[in-house]
Every structure is written in C-alpha cells, then in structure tokens.
Amino acid sequence: MQNIHCKFIFMISVLWKAPGVHTRKGVKCGGVLSAPIGHLSTPNFPRVYPPYTECSWLIVVSEGSTIQLTFQEFSLEYHDACEYDYVKIYNGATRDDGNLLGTFCGSNFPPNITSSWHVLSVIFHSDKHVGSTGFSATYRKDICGGVLTGLSGVITSPDYPDNYPNNAECHWLIRAAPHSKIRLVFTDFQLESQECNFDYVAIFDGYGLEEQVDHYCGTTKPPDTTSSSNELLVVFKSDFNIGGRGFKAYFSSGECQDVYTAVTGNITSPRYPEMYPNNIICQWNIQLPPGFRIKMFFREVELEERNSLTEECDYDYIAVYDGQSVGDKLLGKWCGYELPPPLVSSRNNLLLVLVTDRDTASSGFLVFYIGLVPINVSCTRTDFHIQIPSQSVPQLEKSHIYLGSPTCAAQLSGSNYKIYARFDTCGIGPQKRNSTSVIVSVLYVDFSLGAQTDVHEYEVQCEPKRKEASVRILSGSDPAQLIGLMEKTGESHLPEAAASESTERVQDSSDVVFISICILAGVLMLIAVVGLVLL
C-alpha cells in the first residue's frame, strides 16, 4: 500500500509541474508534502520575502482523506484584485480556474480551508516591488471532520465504505456564503441499528449544538435537509463496539442549489459566464403548483467534452430528471457544446443537475424555463369554453385571467375558473391558416406582482366546422426572450401549452345529437303518414 501511495505522489507531482512555475535563483521554497501534518512558509519568513519569487507547494495525503490548511501569520503587499503579491490555493493539482479556492493578499488572514479531496496546491507569487513578512501556515490530514466552505462536497464516515472504527467522533461544519442555504443529501447509510444513543449521525441547523435537528442510526437514510442559515453542522459518533459501513452524503450551497417556485425563471451554472468550479454536484429543483407542467429551454451550453474512448459524458455533464430526485425518469444527459432540445415535464416538478470532475472547467450553461398553465379549451360553432383549475393558480384573482381584454374576465365556478365567450366578443376574430378558416383569440394569465410585470399569453384556436380547439403559449414574462429562445433551439412554432403539448383537441358533439334527433323525427313522421294512408 505504501509503494502505491509513493507512486501516486510521484505521478501527480510530475503532472503538477506546469510551465511558468519558477523560483528566483538561490531561493528554496515549495515542493511536495505528503506527511499527515506539515508546515509551509514564504522564503525568509518572518523577514521580508524576496521579489520575483514564485513558490509552489503540492500537498498530497492518502486517498479518501481531506486536507485542512490554517494560516498562523499573513502579511503580503495589498492590491484590490491581488495582482502584485498573492497566495492562490487550488483544490487539486491542476491550476484550472475551476479548482481555485481563493486568491489572498494584504494583511487579512485567509479563512481555514478544507479541500474536497486529498490533494491541495498552494502558490505564492511576489513581483519586483514592495515586499512584506509573508505567511506561515500548517496543514493536517483531516479524515474526520473539518470546516467545509466549497459550493459542494462529499462527507463520509471514517474508512468508508469499510466499517467505521469504534470510539470515533467527527464534526463537519459546512459554511456557505452569507444569506445562502445548504442542502444535505445522504446517498448511503448503514450504522448500528440499536437505539441512536450508541452510533449515530446528528444534524444541527447552525453552528451551535443547541440547534440540533435529530439523531439518525440504523439503515434508514436521513431525509434531505435544507438549512435555515448559511451554516450546518454534521456530527458522527460511534461507541466502543458494533459498527457498520457508515455513510456517504453530499452537500451543496449558495449558487449550487436552489428551489424555484416562480412560474418563469433563469438558471445558470455557478459563476456563469466565468468558469464553473471543479468537483461539484449542483441541483436546482423547479416546483410549481399542481396541474402545471414545465417547459425548459437551454440557451447556452459549454462543458467539458465527451470521453473520446467511451463517447459518453463521463467528466462534466448536465442531467434533467422528470420529477424531484435523481430516482425519477432521466430526460437526458449532455456535455460539451450539445444544446439539448426543449424539454417538457410530465408533472409539476423538474430537476436540473450539474456534475463536474476534478479538472478542465468551462463557462457552463444558461437555462430558461416557463410553467405551462393547465388550460382546457373546447369550442362549438359559435363560442369558446375555457377552464383552468383554481388550485393550479391559487395566488390569482379571477380578474387576472381574461380573454382578449380585462372586460372578458373569468368567473369562478366550482373548482374552476371558466370563460364562455361567443366568437363576436372578447377580441375573437377569424383567420386563415393552412387554407383552413379558424377562430382565434388570446387568453391572458396575469402573474404580475407589485411593480414586476409577468403576463403570460396563450393563443386559443377553434376550427368551427370540426369543433376542434387547441391552445399554445405565445409569451411569458419576457416575450422577446422567449422568441430568441425559439430561434436558438430551432423551433418553427411557439411552444404549446398543456392541452396542445399532447396534441389534444376537443370536439363538440352537439351536431351529432341534433342530426340524430332530426332522423328520429323523420322516421316518426313517416310512420304517422303511413298510418293515415292505411286508415
């Protein structure tokens, strides 16, 4: 095992030596550090560091562990953008911007930093002017607990997936950006199944132990948890006997996770249009009221390309699921510059996932979505019948749903908003489409709130001769944007709403009834005439 670890360190240190890494002649600094605990500092510390210097430290510990870096002293030349003298810390061996954990200068101490895997790079650079005393820092291999500040990461019990040791106690403090929330999801869980007084995982909504959510043990995974603040504490404890496989969980925070409940919205990858971070798992849930469906358009996609050997999206990819979790139906998985087609959910939930590996990042993606209001439209030869379930738009008054103009507003009847309108009212007019005469109007659903305008427009159409009706969405909160999306996605027509997504058309049966009555009346008259002749 020791030989394998040494070979790995040699291999990764060779890959790590990139062009442009240099140290001033006569100055010794940098190197590969592989001990469980170690120290690093600027040349000449605590005296002034030399100019024109670049030092690179690669910290490598055993796989499955993390590294915690703590600064005891820190004083570099100050610049607003840290362009002169600086320290850069990377999560891994490569100097990809997606791996950058932070750039620091001046006299403010960097925060304690914990890597999300077992390799960490520290780069020190000084220019030709203005020096200072530099920095002194220590690192330690951290297999059990730590402060986690990344956008996402993975937490496992010690020695996972092998049995965890006895008498272990681990504290992970997950800290996100201010005003952000943290989502924690367990993917595997097997602890001693006796009462949770022995081996357990406890989750605290905040930093203090008094903010405890609950204890968990046995084989039932804890429920998905979302913090109420930007801190979440996870504690694992085992007693003196009986163990298990342990657990694996991942967390995401800030711009790496969110729940969208608005009927329209945009979603972007973290830092878009700059490079997204490496080694993250992000999830965005769209949850609309019952009855809605969701249509999603991808405007921009720029991720790492497919694996040239497998031709699969093995590295960085986006995936969309028809529901609330990755256990629901997968609608597709894409990478590179592939632009997914417009996607429509079967229900009122859609899940978007971004997964990235440990190197090679790109600019990511921009997504637009719109909720499709459940509209049931039918017609006769003289009028439209329109219904929208009131439970689907509970935040709306009936005056916010109207055909043609606000004077033709919906009425609440039972559990539905209804509009019955004759063809000579409500802005309804005839048109010629594909050599067919149709009757057309526009249905408005007004989601505006305060000064924010958000009106959705749906075209309702009727073929009077066949008494077939259809509906399609014309625009959302930004019509120009929606049209631009269609141009980018190559759609030749505007996206249709719920009824027309399934090519559903409603045909009136009144003519059939009328003709049947006429035939019956004719038969009865004929019988009467024959009876009179016979008399």
Side-chain angles (χ1 to χ4, degrees), residues 245-317:
R245 184 171 65 245
F247 68 87
K248 181 177 183 180
Y250 67 84
F251 69 88
S252 54
S253 64
E255 55 185 331
C256 197
Q257 65 89 27
D258 209 344
V259 177
Y260 292 80
T261 56
V263 289
T264 57
N266 289 311
I267 305 173
T268 61
S269 51
R271 302 178 186 171
Y272 178 88
E274 305 299 327
M275 284 189 177
Y276 51 76
N278 291 120
N279 207 34
I280 58 173
I281 302 174
C282 301
Q283 292 193 356
W284 297 271
N285 287 84
I286 306 172
Q287 298 178 2
L288 298 187
F292 271 83
R293 289 195 290 168
I294 304 158
K295 192 153 192 174
M296 178 177 284
F297 304 86
F298 286 82
R299 297 192 66 182
E300 302 288 346
V301 173
E302 188 174 329
L303 305 173
E304 186 176 1
E305 295 283 2
R306 289 176 178 267
N307 184 334
S308 59
L309 298 178
T310 65
E311 292 299 322
E312 298 292 336
C313 294
D314 295 329
Y315 306 134
D316 300 352
Y317 63 85

Side-chain angles (χ1 to χ4, degrees), residues 486-512:
M486 292 184 304
E487 291 172 353
K488 285 181 176 291
T489 54
E491 288 201 4
S492 59
H493 57 81
L494 290 155
E496 296 177 345
S500 54
E501 285 290 350
S502 60
T503 66
E504 178 185 351
R505 292 179 178 271
V506 181
Q507 184 169 354
D508 184 72
S509 60
S510 59
D511 277 357
V512 176

Side-chain angles (χ1 to χ4, degrees), residues 278-397:
N278 291 120
N279 207 34
I280 58 173
I281 302 174
C282 301
Q283 292 193 356
W284 297 271
N285 287 84
I286 306 172
Q287 298 178 2
L288 298 187
F292 271 83
R293 289 195 290 168
I294 304 158
K295 192 153 192 174
M296 178 177 284
F297 304 86
F298 286 82
R299 297 192 66 182
E300 302 288 346
V301 173
E302 188 174 329
L303 305 173
E304 186 176 1
E305 295 283 2
R306 289 176 178 267
N307 184 334
S308 59
L309 298 178
T310 65
E311 292 299 322
E312 298 292 336
C313 294
D314 295 329
Y315 306 134
D316 300 352
Y317 63 85
I318 48 175
V320 180
Y321 296 86
D322 189 10
Q324 300 183 65
S325 73
V326 294
D328 291 312
K329 179 184 177 182
L330 177 66
L331 296 180
K333 182 178 177 181
W334 300 272
C335 55
Y337 293 83
E338 304 167 22
L339 203 63
L343 304 172
V344 180
S345 67
S346 63
R347 300 183 300 278
N348 59 319
N349 295 284
L350 207 59
L351 174 66
L352 173 64
V353 176
L354 169 67
V355 177
T356 70
D357 65 1
R358 292 169 178 169
D359 57 27
T360 313
S362 196
S363 64
F365 65 82
L366 168 61
V367 164
F368 173 79
Y369 77 86
I370 185 167
L372 303 176
V373 178
I375 300 171
N376 179 19
V377 58
S378 61
C379 66
T380 66
R381 292 197 173 191
T382 58
D383 50 27
F384 276 116
H385 293 182
I386 299 169
Q387 295 187 63
I388 297 176
S390 57
Q391 67 164 357
S392 298
V393 285
Q395 74 275 40
L396 298 186
E397 299 290 337

Side-chain angles (χ1 to χ4, degrees), residues 49 74-88 103-108 125 127 129-132:
Y49 52 76
F74 194 87
S75 179
L76 275 64
E77 179 185 4
Y78 175 77
H79 179 264
D80 286 345
C82 294
E83 292 183 354
Y84 303 149
D85 299 353
Y86 58 77
V87 169
K88 288 189 175 183
T103 302
F104 309 96
C105 63
S107 57
N108 290 330
H125 170 87
D127 66 359
H129 299 296
V130 187
S132 191

Side-chain angles (χ1 to χ4, degrees), residues 401-535:
I401 303 170
Y402 53 91
L403 186 67
S405 70
T407 58
C408 290
Q411 299 299 316
L412 182 59
S413 177
S415 59
N416 293 296
Y417 288 116
K418 295 183 179 181
I419 298 177
Y420 293 164
R422 293 185 58 83
F423 290 163
D424 57 356
T425 61
C426 302
I428 301 171
Q431 291 186 15
K432 204 80 169 178
R433 294 186 179 176
N434 299 324
S435 302
T436 302
S437 294
V438 295
I439 305 298
V440 177
S441 189
V442 177
L443 176 69
Y444 296 89
V445 184
D446 188 354
F447 292 97
S448 299
L449 186 63
Q452 183 178 359
T453 301
D454 187 6
V455 182
H456 294 198
E457 302 174 9
Y458 292 82
E459 181 188 81
V460 291
Q461 176 181 308
C462 176
E463 294 182 39
K465 289 185 178 180
R466 302 173 63 184
K467 298 184 181 177
E468 289 184 348
S470 63
V471 57
R472 61 188 179 115
I473 190 168
L474 292 176
S475 68
S477 56
D478 188 345
Q481 183 182 44
L482 189 56
I483 292 171
L485 290 171
M486 292 184 304
E487 291 172 353
K488 285 181 176 291
T489 54
E491 288 201 4
S492 59
H493 57 81
L494 290 155
E496 296 177 345
S500 54
E501 285 290 350
S502 60
T503 66
E504 178 185 351
R505 292 179 178 271
V506 181
Q507 184 169 354
D508 184 72
S509 60
S510 59
D511 277 357
V512 176
V513 175
F514 178 73
I515 292 170
S516 300
I517 292 172
C518 291
I519 293 173
L520 180 59
V523 171
L524 292 175
M525 186 176 293
L526 180 60
I527 293 172
V529 171
V530 171
L532 289 172
V533 171
L534 292 175
L535 289 173

Side-chain angles (χ1 to χ4, degrees), residues 33 35-42 45 57 59 61 66-74 87 89 109-115 120 122 135-142:
L33 308 175
I37 299 174
H39 176 266
L40 55 154
S41 61
T42 47
F45 181 85
W57 291 270
I59 306 170
V61 297
T66 59
I67 301 161
Q68 188 172 80
L69 182 68
T70 304
F71 287 84
Q72 284 80 39
E73 301 288 341
F74 194 87
V87 169
I89 303 171
F109 276 51
N112 292 345
I113 291 176
T114 302
S115 67
L120 192 73
V122 180
F135 71 82
S136 173
T138 58
Y139 76 88
R140 68 183 179 92
K141 173 184 171 184
D142 189 14

